[in-house]
């Protein structure tokens, strides 16, 4: 990969000679590199490396993240799967979970106090009752 300074010198040499083979030999690159950089110079006006276009693109847009934040503020006890269904997101639940954590939310599971718990003395009755635990998402303060 050529550094930005070498790219500028290559274009200057191209502008003086218009001989791609000679310029390529001088800089130790392929002739197609000379043509590609010359084309980029014509189209964009710059031959510098484009570092902003590298890497994996985020799967959630900024608007999606804002919608998730608003939804959690309206419904603090919403689950990740309900968020995905409500906003019709085409991402995994892990992606949404990581986004929620980046927004500063934590999931606090509400445990039932002794007076709120329904504990039958018989194990057969225990299977019939479903423990209804609820939780909320709250902003984590550091």
């Amino acid at each position: 990969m050529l550094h930005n300074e070498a790219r500028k010198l290559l274009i200057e040499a191209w502008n003086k000679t218009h001989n791609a083979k000679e310029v390529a030999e001088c800089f130790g690159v392929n002739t197609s590199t000379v043509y590609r950089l010359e084309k980029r110079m014509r189209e964009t006006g710059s031959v510098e490396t484009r570092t902003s276009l590298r890497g994996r693109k985020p799967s959630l847009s900024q608007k999606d993240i804002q919608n998730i934040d608003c939804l959690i503020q309206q419904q603090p006890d919403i689950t990740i799967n309900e968020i995905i269904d409500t906003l019709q997101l085409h991402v995994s639940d892990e992606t949404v979970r990581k986004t929620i954590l980046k927004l500063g939310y934590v999931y606090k599971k509400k445990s039932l106090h002794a007076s709120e718990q329904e504990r039958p003395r018989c194990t057969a009755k225990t299977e019939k009752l479903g423990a209804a635990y609820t939780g909320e998402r709250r902003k984590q303060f550091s």
Side-chain angles (χ1 to χ4, degrees):
M1 176 183 265
L2 290 174
H3 295 289
N4 289 334
E5 196 62 37
R7 290 168 180 251
K8 291 176 186 174
L9 293 172
L10 188 141
I11 291 299
E12 287 177 15
W14 166 257
N15 289 335
K16 288 180 183 175
T17 63
H18 290 287
N19 186 346
K21 187 175 181 180
E22 188 178 299
V23 172
E25 286 176 7
C26 181
F27 284 91
V29 294
N30 199 328
T31 55
S32 62
T33 303
V34 177
Y35 290 123
R36 182 177 42 81
L37 288 176
E38 189 271 330
K39 180 182 177 186
R40 189 186 306 169
M41 185 65 175
R42 269 188 289 119
E43 291 175 351
T44 64
S46 174
V47 289
E48 293 187 7
T49 55
R50 297 180 285 183
T51 56
S52 63
L53 301 176
R54 293 181 182 170
R56 186 174 180 150
K57 306 301 179 258
S59 53
L60 289 174
S61 67
Q62 203 60 30
K63 186 178 178 184
D64 291 334
I65 294 171
Q66 289 173 351
N67 289 341
I68 290 171
D69 193 22
C70 290
L71 196 59
I72 291 173
Q73 288 175 7
Q74 292 170 2
Q75 254 183 303
D77 62 341
I78 193 166
T79 64
I80 291 174
N81 289 331
E82 289 172 348
I83 291 172
I84 292 171
D85 292 339
T86 305
L87 298 177
Q88 296 177 351
L89 301 173
H90 300 289
V91 294
S92 68
D93 55 349
E94 184 66 14
T95 303
V96 176
R97 187 190 71 81
K98 286 180 181 179
T99 302
I100 291 171
L101 289 176
K102 284 181 185 175
L103 287 171
Y105 289 103
V106 291
Y107 189 71
K108 181 69 175 178
K109 192 172 188 179
K110 181 183 177 191
S111 59
L112 300 175
H113 295 285
S115 62
E116 298 172 329
Q117 294 178 356
E118 294 180 26
R119 290 193 174 174
R121 296 186 186 268
C122 179
T123 56
K125 291 182 181 177
T126 307
E127 294 173 2
K128 292 179 184 176
L129 293 175
Y133 293 110
T134 58
E136 284 189 356
R137 297 199 184 276
R138 299 176 185 226
K139 283 277 189 176
Q140 184 179 14
F141 298 104
S142 336

